[in-house]
Amino acid sequence: MANIGIFFGTDTGRTRRIAKSIAKKLGAAAADPLNVNKATADDFLAYDALIIGTPTLGDGELPGLECGAQTASWAEFLPQLDGADMSGKVVAIFGLGDQEKYGNEFCDAMADLYDCVTTCGANVIGTWPVDGYTFKSSQAVIDGSFVGLALDQDNQPTLTDERVDAWLAGITPALMAAAG
Ligand SMILES: Cc1cc2nc3c(=O)[nH]c(=O)nc-3n(C[C@H](O)[C@H](O)[C@H](O)COP(=O)(O)O)c2cc1C
């Protein structure tokens, strides 16, 4: 089994594409990215090192049927982790959002992933600076940094590749160490 699990939710496919590009950059250490609408909690909890990605939809929400996404997604998956023990696991989060149209809730859904996995005891790595983005507020900002990598394919698509590379360079050693 590859060592680093990659799980994503998506509505229109952008988060899937980023997940695939992350897997490609990581090479053999990474598992094939899995859409959470096809994953079980056991699939997810099988990994000690995880990269998880989500767009923000609705009004600062996780993707899922309730906010009008085309399929079930993180909103339906996360409750399956209730009570799970993720202590000792390392998790890195990335999120897609639109800072111009949704500047009051930019990439908010990363905060929901963060809350869930930290409640389960996981160690979240890969915080990301807010410099280079223009937005009013985001629940995904804690102590002045995003809890994970914020990407904006609507307004800053040309910055994505270099952001992903810099983020991966920072988190890969800790992911590999956790994966064993
Ligand atoms: C109906 C709708 C609601 C959205 N709400 C938010 C939001 O609250 N915050 C945000 O940062 N981006 C929001 N976005 C932007 C999406 O997160 C962004 O377009 C993302 O790239 C979509 O990724 P996907 O193709 O993986 O679904 C919204 C987009 C749509 C279509």
Side-chain angles (χ1 to χ4, degrees):
M1 189 170 100
N3 296 326
I4 302 172
I6 304 178
F7 294 83
F8 64 90
T10 187
D11 189 34
T12 59
R14 287 172 171 166
T15 311
R16 177 191 300 110
R17 283 195 286 279
I18 303 293
K20 283 190 168 172
S21 110
I22 287 172
K24 200 170 168 198
K25 287 172 191 285
L26 287 172
D32 282 344
L34 192 56
N35 191 321
V36 286
N37 67 16
K38 298 193 184 97
T40 65
D42 284 348
D43 294 332
F44 190 86
L45 296 169
Y47 293 94
D48 289 329
L50 289 151
I51 297 178
I52 59 178
T54 187
T56 297
L57 295 179
D59 205 5
E61 290 161 64
L62 283 169
L65 295 174
E66 220 169 87
C67 76
Q70 302 170 59
T71 63
S73 190
W74 283 115
E76 289 77 14
F77 180 84
L78 287 188
Q80 296 179 52
L81 298 180
D82 278 354
D85 179 9
M86 294 185 71
S87 50
K89 296 182 188 290
V90 168
V91 180
I93 301 168
F94 69 95
L96 275 68
D98 178 341
Q99 63 199 291
E100 285 188 11
K101 249 196 203 162
Y102 300 94
N104 289 320
E105 51 257 324
F106 179 50
C107 285
D108 270 11
M110 280 202 292
D112 296 307
L113 297 187
Y114 177 86
D115 289 345
C116 175
V117 298
T118 54
T119 299
C120 293
N123 177 25
V124 172
I125 60 166
T127 59
W128 189 252
V130 296
D131 310 328
Y133 306 84
T134 306
F135 62 99
K136 287 204 186 86
S137 73
S138 172
Q139 289 180 10
V141 174
I142 296 180
D143 293 336
S145 298
F146 289 111
V147 295
L149 174 64
L151 298 171
D152 186 340
Q153 294 299 87
D154 292 276
N155 306 294
Q156 298 178 325
T158 57
L159 298 181
T160 292
D161 206 43
E162 67 195 63
R163 283 173 170 164
V164 170
D165 285 343
W167 186 65
L168 285 179
I171 63 173
T172 303
L175 288 172
M176 296 301 282

